[in-house]
Amino acid sequence: MVDRTTIDHWRSAPRLTAFARFFERTARGESGAPDLAQPKIDLSLLDFDLEAAVFSDTHRRLWGHFDSHYFASIPYRLEEEARVGAAILAFALRAWSRSASPATIYTLGTGTGCLARALATLGNGRIEALCCSPTAANRVSFVAKRGSDHAHFFHGPFFDLTNDRYLSDPELFPFQAGFDVLLEDTTFQMYDRDRIKQLDFVVPRIRPGGILVQVQKLAHEDPDTYEERERQKDELFKTRYFSAGDISKKKDEVLNTMTGLQVDLATTAAALGTFFRYSVVTWNSGNFYTIVSSNSRTATLELVSLMLKPAIPPGYCYERLPVILVDTEAEPLAPELSWRCANTMAPLAPRRQAF
């Protein structure tokens, strides 16, 4: 059980203090927007997959101000959102089909909640989706393009979503029994380095057979390696969307402070192993990772098998994916881990030459 001292520490963390103004201005569209070009998905990296394209199209229609900033800041994160979003949608619909009641999804710290809104929209009553943000302007974006009555927004930090809040807030009633999928997106690193306490707060909300998906920016045991990957991100990717001045300003305003709250892959694996029997890295882009964790071997294999292969140029990926972080000797994951094949949209895919 997370104690009051820890909660008070989180409440004074950079996300709610030093970073608050940056996030509010960016979410209002007052600053932080790409000034050279808008991010646009490269469907060729997803093999023109139909499910990913449908998810991406819905997702893009629901963007708020913060989303364009976010997807222009992390190399190929937009393609990863479509890849993971399509997989979570299929996973949630399977959960709905087994229980005959809506699947529940919580996207923790996802800005405008665009992922949650896209999933609720495509679920069409089969998915109840919740997102949270302490930034008021993100709630404005959420309401402006809610997309579905089955999408819900909590205005506040993740640690204010206590058991009492789920029981007393009518907007949260669909989530009293927990979540089939809980996705944490680059949020823990803005509050603290203690991943065990952060996981201890959210893991009890995951239903039996449920999944935790994390998008994390990780430290590296070699500081030079970390910085080289940062230079690649800033100089080869972000310069497509942001001027050099904007990139430097964000680094000074946010990223340098946030680095101190990041942990490395080994620390992440150890924390996840405290709570889960299985944990797998399914995506890597420089210092960014997607990690899937669960106590259910079946659920882990199911979600991973619903993912396309990672949609990223090899030069940005530094891991041989998937990477198993936590496993069991009796029932290991490795023999059955696999990506799904793309359901290619033939009219969009390049024609093969006949020889």
Side-chain angles (χ1 to χ4, degrees), residues 189-226:
Q189 65 200 48
M190 297 186 185
Y191 288 93
D192 195 0
R193 288 177 53 85
D194 193 334
R195 297 292 179 265
I196 289 180
K197 286 185 178 179
Q198 292 167 330
L199 289 168
D200 193 27
F201 188 88
V202 302
V203 169
R205 302 303 309 176
I206 301 173
R207 288 176 171 174
I211 291 276
L212 172 69
V213 181
Q214 294 177 285
V215 179
Q216 290 279 302
K217 187 176 186 182
L218 300 182
H220 197 281
E221 59 185 10
D222 178 9
D224 291 338
T225 298
Y226 179 92

Side-chain angles (χ1 to χ4, degrees), residues 47-82:
D47 292 334
F48 299 97
D49 179 68
L50 178 61
E51 284 82 359
V54 168
F55 179 88
S56 175
D57 180 69
T58 302
H59 183 265
R60 182 63 183 86
R61 295 167 190 264
L62 299 175
W63 281 16
H65 291 299
F66 190 80
D67 297 293
S68 59
H69 162 85
Y70 178 76
F71 292 114
S73 298
I74 304 173
Y76 303 95
R77 181 67 185 86
L78 181 54
E79 287 76 14
E80 173 66 356
E81 185 91 339

Side-chain angles (χ1 to χ4, degrees), residues 258-324:
M258 191 172 64
T259 300
L261 300 181
Q262 293 167 5
V263 300
D264 61 18
L265 189 59
T267 303
T268 299
L272 290 168
T274 304
F275 297 91
F276 297 105
R277 300 177 70 223
Y278 302 102
S279 189
V280 185
V281 176
T282 59
W283 182 75
N284 165 240
S285 171
N287 292 314
F288 293 86
Y289 293 75
T290 299
I291 305 172
V292 171
S293 305
S294 180
N295 282 309
S296 167
R297 183 175 185 271
T298 299
T300 306
L301 291 172
E302 182 176 13
L303 182 61
V304 173
S305 72
L306 291 168
M307 293 182 183
L308 297 162
K309 70 179 190 297
I312 187 167
Y316 285 83
C317 183
Y318 295 90
E319 305 285 350
R320 295 189 64 180
L321 302 171
V323 177
I324 298 174

Side-chain angles (χ1 to χ4, degrees), residues 231-249:
R231 282 193 293 273
Q232 180 189 46
K233 168 177 65 71
D234 291 344
E235 297 174 11
L236 298 183
F237 183 81
K238 291 181 68 172
T239 50
R240 305 173 190 179
Y241 307 106
F242 298 100
S243 63
D246 279 357
I247 294 171
S248 177
K249 182 179 178 182

